[in-house]
Amino acid sequence: MRGLMQDYPLTLQHIFWRIEKLFARKEIVTRREDGVHRYTYGDCAARVKRLANVLTGLGIGPGDRIGTLAWNNYRHLELYYAVPCMGAVLHTLNLRLFPEQLAFVINDAEDKVLFVDQTILPILNRIAGQIPHVEKIIVLSDGGDLPPHNLGDLLDYEALLADAGKEFAWPVLDERDAAAMCYTSGTTGNPKGVVYSHRSQFLHAMAGLQRDTLGLSETDTILPVVPMFHVNSWGIPYGAGMAGAKLLFPDRWMGDGAALLELAREEDATLLAGVPTVWIGLLRQIEQTGIALPTVHTIVGGGSAVPPALIEGMDRHDLRVVHAWGMTETSPIGTVARPRTWHSAEQAEVMRRTQGPPVPGVELRIADIDSGAELPWDGVAFGEVQVRGPWIISAYYHDADPGKLTDDGWFRTGDVATMTPDGYMSIVDRTKDVIKSGGEWISSVELENAIMAHPKVLEATVIALPHPKWQERPVAFVVPAPEHRDQVTQQEILDFLADKVARWWLPDEVRFIAELPKTSVGKFDKKVLRAEAAPIGGE
Amino acid sequence: MRGLMQDYPLTLQHIFWRIEKLFARKEIVTRREDGVHRYTYGDCAARVKRLANVLTGLGIGPGDRIGTLAWNNYRHLELYYAVPCMGAVLHTLNLRLFPEQLAFVINDAEDKVLFVDQTILPILNRIAGQIPHVEKIIVLSDGGDLPPHNLGDLLDYEALLADAGKEFAWPVLDERDAAAMCYTSGTTGNPKGVVYSHRSQFLHAMAGLQRDTLGLSETDTILPVVPMFHVNSWGIPYGAGMAGAKLLFPDRWMGDGAALLELAREEDATLLAGVPTVWIGLLRQIEQTGIALPTVHTIVGGGSAVPPALIEGMDRHDLRVVHAWGMTETSPIGTVARPRTWHSAEQAEVMRRTQGPPVPGVELRIADIDSGAELPWDGVAFGEVQVRGPWIISAYYHDADPGKLTDDGWFRTGDVATMTPDGYMSIVDRTKDVIKSGGEWISSVELENAIMAHPKVLEATVIALPHPKWQERPVAFVVPAPEHRDQVTQQEILDFLADKVARWWLPDEVRFIAELPKTSVGKFDKKVLRAEAAPIGGE
């Protein structure tokens, strides 16, 4: 027996309906070279309809891939709505990829049209002649001369919009149609394509508005510092649109703590979202300038584990970091670490440092790394995190890297975690980073967090290096805080760790370096470290 | 091109997963004759699995309808989970229906098994011998002798659970499978069946947790005073389960202001939900006893328009009424009236008295009552509200009352409303209650609200009666507050209205009565009034 409810498809067109009909007067503010660009959701919606006409005029049809090479700004947001709502697929390109990877993903997706920020043209120019499927390149220009390039004839975004029709009749879409795609950063091998459906994006946005997840609300002013080329900026552009929240975009000043602080302060931001390295920079800026952010109620931190020292640092300024976990393959929101009513104040402090429990719509379990058997939620057993739900990947594009789903259909995340009896996940490592010393597991992440709590340490990472006796042993790479450069010793770090981790977990060596290699999305790049590291005892 | 996301079905099994895995320690408290019954979601989940085994043992299979005739209590909640999660359909029976209507809905749905609260057996007994499809009747007994009846052999719920197996392997369901059904109260003709799918219930629960809708949270303690036989108690049992909120059930003391106040106070309720008549009773109780409810942050009022006088009365006690709108056919949540950031304090007070803007997932429009043409959102034009979305009805069961959908698939609600330019709906009437006087529309609801603002008035309703010259004219029926009985006059009411409504809106007569007839769900029953009213000038 079937339900007798409307077959209303869950698509991004509904979110567009909301921004146009309900939130037309809300603002979207984008930082510019000189001041800000400011307009409303109503202005945005009018341009989205023109843009849909532009796409149709360029011969774009259902399922065609449209690449974007752009920062977080209002034009990128227009593409976020126009492309999927008219039936095409928004392919956000990670502008931090190496040129050969960038060419690979454009070719793998067979992008037909590219939209490129004027300032990013030089990056695209490096692969001129290597992207045969691309028929048109449209520049999101700010006026003035374009930089020299070999990309052939370029079209101008504003000129096309000015000539386009004002009305657009949206087609009827199937909720399982592709809406967007995003490639993983590809730390090993080629990047892999993740294809989001309208349904997955819609449901992910629904979850993001829930009070115990991100709680996005019309009353919020949101500054997403997650790049819009990275997992749809964690889905925040769509969540903000569904909720009617004011949006702040940092454009290309994403890594500039002073610029972020200024934008958040001037526009009374209430919710910030980004990876820990961004917040480490912002915290330093706050501490140096003494500028407070009294309107901010939440800083969502995710993408990699939030170091406890960062949480405590932000607490000192009444800035509450809410820890979330997810990945490109999970759209990304999987867990959000808000404490429960049954936690004491002390337990709550522990729990907000975990990755937290799964949000509505996501189920997870942990499985033994070697045998695959499901493990108990006892806070001790640690195994690979496996997830399922309507916004979790079923396969990569072109079936790259098959075998990431279990036989019963759960996605194998590659993260290693423990689960408390009340469902709080603590990621202790990646399956490929966890250190197996003498047959026992050591968590590289826990060691890193312990080291980063040292007041003289800015950043630290720990990798396994081969060891003749123990198979693998941990080695730490530490970046001292600028004011302590050359003033911190290996012994000091080891002494500091002595009462924090088991004795046999202590790194065999602590190596000081000026900077940690990072991936294109700002995570510590252990693959590079492992490849370049001198053997233990060999330096 | 399709998305590559998991085909994870949106079913109530996911909510069950959450209560069992994440919220096992949260409490569910039910008022009893003597004190309360208290247990946890963990206890509930264990009994749900036993109950699923009981159902299987009774020969219940996919799609079979299971009727429940029960108040708001923990056993009814167990049925809410076990029945749909094992693939059958939960048919909640409105125990306030007339016997012939009750027999009609049981027969129309072909309920195979009924679960009945012991105290409600006499109601069921009235239709003994008239419900041929029912194979088994199971009593939710509290021990002691059953009342005399002609219902044949009855089974005992607790005895069945005690004998049932502890584990149950849930079947894989399709999200469009029926999960539950509920009949409209049928103010004209036979009640009509609405069939909810797993998908619609899941999505409705997702919306209920959003911060700008009901905002259900793990931090909440929720007292749903909406009967569980009425639109699934507005979906709150599932929303609370998804969020992990503590639940309070008033059992059969639903209309007892003193009992509600005591339960809310003793258990530190944070959110109450119910129809305005319930809150009128609670407000009187609060004012008489001086007992405050300091932990309550929200009183959700819906089902019929919340009188402004009630909102103001609750405001005096720091109890914030949040106005919501919906109907059986909309699952029910369609709109929630929270003000926006762009409203001044003064505008906000106006806006929270409207029905509010549509929640994420629901789209609405207004259409001319005569021509069906879409009307502008200008705050003036008023027309029939039409809605669409994934939890809006597509057809009644057995295709009763066809033609309630427009040609383009929107549900015609029968409500008449204006829309502000920023999407706030103000229901001014029902298409069948709106008064057409001399070719112009008069809103019966606005007149009622204006009259109920009079300090000597407890309740009031306005109906159209035939008029030789003007076609129809309004007549008011007023229940004075107990302390003002026989102390208020027609002239006093008309004088009070003089500066509040247009002169030609003034009722031709004000008739004082001891009590207003109400429908089975507590709304004023205008059909009864119209049928019994003496003609204008004829009393």
Side-chain angles (χ1 to χ4, degrees), chain A residues 41 49 67 181 255 292 310 441 500:
Chain A
Y41 275 113
K49 290 190 287 191
M181 55 193 307
L310 175 61
W441 298 106
K500 294 178 181 65

Side-chain angles (χ1 to χ4, degrees), chain A residues 37-101:
Chain A
H37 173 276
R38 186 185 301 272
Y39 77 165
T40 65
Y41 275 113
D43 299 328
C44 174
R47 286 165 56 94
V48 165
K49 290 190 287 191
R50 286 177 179 268
L51 178 51
N53 280 314
V54 168
L55 292 166
T56 306
L58 290 171
I60 296 304
D64 284 342
R65 272 77 67 205
I66 307 296
T68 62
L69 205 49
W71 294 105
N72 289 19
N73 56 48
Y74 66 99
R75 287 165 171 157
H76 209 170
L77 187 70
E78 291 160 10
L79 287 154
Y80 261 57
Y81 283 103
V83 174
C85 289
M86 64 84 68
V89 182
L90 181 81
H91 177 199
T92 52
L93 295 161
N94 184 341
L95 53 90
R96 292 178 186 141
L97 292 177
F98 297 111
E100 59 272 28
Q101 288 181 314

Side-chain angles (χ1 to χ4, degrees), chain B residues 180-216:
Chain B
M181 52 193 308
C182 182
Y183 281 72
T184 62
S185 45
T187 48
T188 52
N190 276 323
K192 295 172 284 185
V194 176
V195 186
Y196 306 107
S197 62
H198 279 269
R199 171 182 163 103
S200 69
Q201 300 272 36
F202 178 99
L203 292 169
H204 186 266
M206 288 288 281
L209 273 59
Q210 296 179 330
R211 194 161 134 210
D212 292 345
T213 66
L214 304 190
L216 306 183

Side-chain angles (χ1 to χ4, degrees), chain A residues 271-525:
Chain A
L271 188 145
L272 320 179
V275 295
T277 47
V278 166
W279 307 133
I280 291 170
L282 183 71
L283 179 58
R284 291 187 69 84
Q285 193 67 28
I286 289 170
E287 303 209 313
Q288 281 166 11
T289 61
I291 294 173
L293 291 174
T295 56
V296 172
H297 59 70
T298 303
I299 297 182
V300 184
S304 59
V306 176
L310 175 61
I311 293 181
E312 285 139 30
M314 286 295 188
D315 277 349
R316 285 196 300 274
H317 300 276
D318 283 330
L319 294 168
R320 189 160 182 85
V321 176
V322 173
H323 198 174
W325 168 87
M327 49 209 306
T328 307
E329 292 87 341
T330 66
S331 294
I333 297 172
T335 65
V336 177
R338 296 192 192 270
R340 302 295 195 196
T341 48
W342 62 77
H343 294 133
S344 66
E346 202 174 291
Q347 286 173 320
E349 284 304 310
V350 174
M351 290 308 180
R352 58 185 285 240
R353 284 161 176 76
T354 71
Q355 272 69 27
V359 300
V362 173
E363 296 181 12
L364 56 80
R365 66 185 185 192
I366 50 174
D368 186 86
I369 298 171
D370 294 324
S371 75
E374 189 166 351
L375 296 172
W377 291 13
D378 59 7
V380 177
F382 72 80
E384 186 181 29
V385 178
Q386 301 179 345
V387 288
R388 67 173 180 182
W391 56 83
I392 311 296
I393 192 172
S394 60
Y396 292 104
Y397 194 52
H398 288 153
D399 210 20
D401 198 11
K404 293 302 286 285
L405 257 68
T406 64
D407 290 343
D408 57 350
W410 296 59
F411 173 67
R412 296 152 51 93
T413 63
D415 277 335
V416 177
T418 62
M419 296 292 298
T420 65
D422 50 355
Y424 279 67
M425 178 171 76
S426 290
I427 293 197
V428 294
D429 224 324
R430 295 283 298 165
T431 48
K432 62 182 168 43
D433 293 333
V434 67
I435 300 157
K436 199 160 197 176
S437 171
E440 300 285 338
W441 298 106
I442 296 173
S443 158
S444 66
V445 175
E446 286 186 23
L447 272 177
E448 289 162 4
N449 287 339
I451 297 169
M452 281 195 278
H454 191 291
K456 293 185 182 172
V457 171
L458 179 64
E459 291 175 342
T461 195
V462 175
I463 60 170
L465 286 181
H467 191 278
K469 181 170 175 192
W470 302 109
Q471 186 180 357
E472 292 181 348
R473 286 296 301 158
V475 171
F477 290 79
V478 171
V479 181
E483 61 274 30
H484 298 292
R485 195 143 287 177
D486 304 320
Q487 290 170 28
V488 53
T489 65
Q490 166 164 315
Q491 198 53 48
E492 210 172 337
I493 299 292
L494 295 178
D495 289 348
F496 180 74
L497 294 178
D499 61 349
K500 294 178 181 65
V501 300
R503 189 169 171 73
W504 62 277
W505 279 36
L506 289 177
D508 279 25
E509 294 180 13
V510 178
R511 301 182 186 170
F512 296 96
I513 54 176
E515 199 177 352
L516 287 173
K518 298 207 176 95
T519 68
S520 54
V521 293
K523 300 182 191 179
F524 300 144
D525 195 337

Side-chain angles (χ1 to χ4, degrees), chain B residues 353-373:
Chain B
R353 285 159 176 76
T354 71
Q355 272 69 26
V359 300
V362 173
E363 296 182 12
L364 56 80
R365 66 184 185 191
I366 50 174
D368 186 85
I369 297 172
D370 295 323
S371 75

Side-chain angles (χ1 to χ4, degrees), chain B residues 42-332:
Chain B
D43 300 327
C44 174
R47 285 164 57 93
V48 164
K49 289 189 287 190
R50 285 176 179 269
L51 178 52
N53 280 314
V54 169
L55 292 166
T56 306
L58 291 169
I60 296 303
D64 284 341
R65 272 77 68 204
I66 307 296
T68 63
L69 205 49
W71 293 106
N72 289 21
N73 57 49
Y74 67 98
R75 287 164 171 156
H76 209 169
L77 187 70
E78 290 160 11
L79 287 155
Y80 260 58
Y81 283 103
V83 174
C85 288
M86 64 84 67
V89 182
L90 180 82
H91 176 198
T92 52
L93 295 162
N94 183 342
L95 52 91
R96 291 179 185 140
L97 291 177
F98 296 112
E100 59 272 25
Q101 288 181 315
L102 185 59
F104 171 82
V105 303
I106 292 172
N107 293 333
D108 192 60
E110 300 176 57
D111 294 334
K112 222 166 154 180
V113 173
L114 298 183
F115 288 82
V116 189
D117 271 354
Q118 179 169 342
T119 56
I120 304 175
L121 264 184
I123 291 176
L124 187 61
N125 193 46
R126 286 188 222 145
I127 57 169
Q130 300 172 39
I131 43 176
H133 300 286
V134 174
E135 297 169 8
K136 298 273 184 225
I137 296 172
I138 293 149
V139 182
L140 307 167
S141 74
D142 298 315
D145 292 338
L146 296 186
H149 65 83
N150 304 308
L151 293 162
D153 287 342
L154 303 178
L155 297 172
D156 181 81
Y157 185 77
E158 293 298 334
L160 290 171
L161 283 196
D163 286 346
K166 278 156 73 168
E167 295 305 324
F168 190 85
W170 302 109
V172 174
L173 301 175
D174 184 302
E175 68 187 41
R176 286 184 161 80
D177 285 346
M181 52 193 308
C182 182
Y183 281 72
T184 62
S185 45
T187 48
T188 52
N190 276 323
K192 295 172 284 185
V194 176
V195 186
Y196 306 107
S197 62
H198 279 269
R199 171 182 163 103
S200 69
Q201 300 272 36
F202 178 99
L203 292 169
H204 186 266
M206 288 288 281
L209 273 59
Q210 296 179 330
R211 194 161 134 210
D212 292 345
T213 66
L214 304 190
L216 306 183
S217 160
E218 193 275 323
T219 59
D220 276 319
T221 296
I222 305 175
L223 173 56
V225 192
V226 199
M228 287 172 79
F229 55 75
H230 181 57
V231 211
N232 301 306
S233 195
W234 297 354
I236 286 172
Y238 295 130
M242 184 179 266
K246 179 176 170 181
L247 267 173
L248 308 180
F249 287 130
D251 200 78
R252 62 183 184 275
W253 294 270
M254 303 268 296
D256 178 342
L260 295 177
L261 185 56
E262 183 183 303
L263 186 60
R265 173 63 180 238
E266 294 284 316
E267 300 292 335
D268 294 329
T270 64
L271 187 145
L272 320 179
V275 294
T277 47
V278 166
W279 306 133
I280 290 170
L282 183 73
L283 178 57
R284 289 187 72 82
Q285 193 67 28
I286 290 170
E287 303 209 314
Q288 279 164 16
T289 61
I291 294 172
L293 291 173
T295 56
V296 172
H297 59 70
T298 302
I299 297 183
V300 184
S304 58
V306 176
L310 175 62
I311 294 182
E312 283 139 30
M314 288 292 189
D315 276 349
R316 285 197 300 274
H317 300 276
D318 284 328
L319 293 167
R320 189 161 182 87
V321 176
V322 173
H323 199 177
W325 167 87
M327 49 209 307
T328 306
E329 293 87 340
T330 66
S331 292

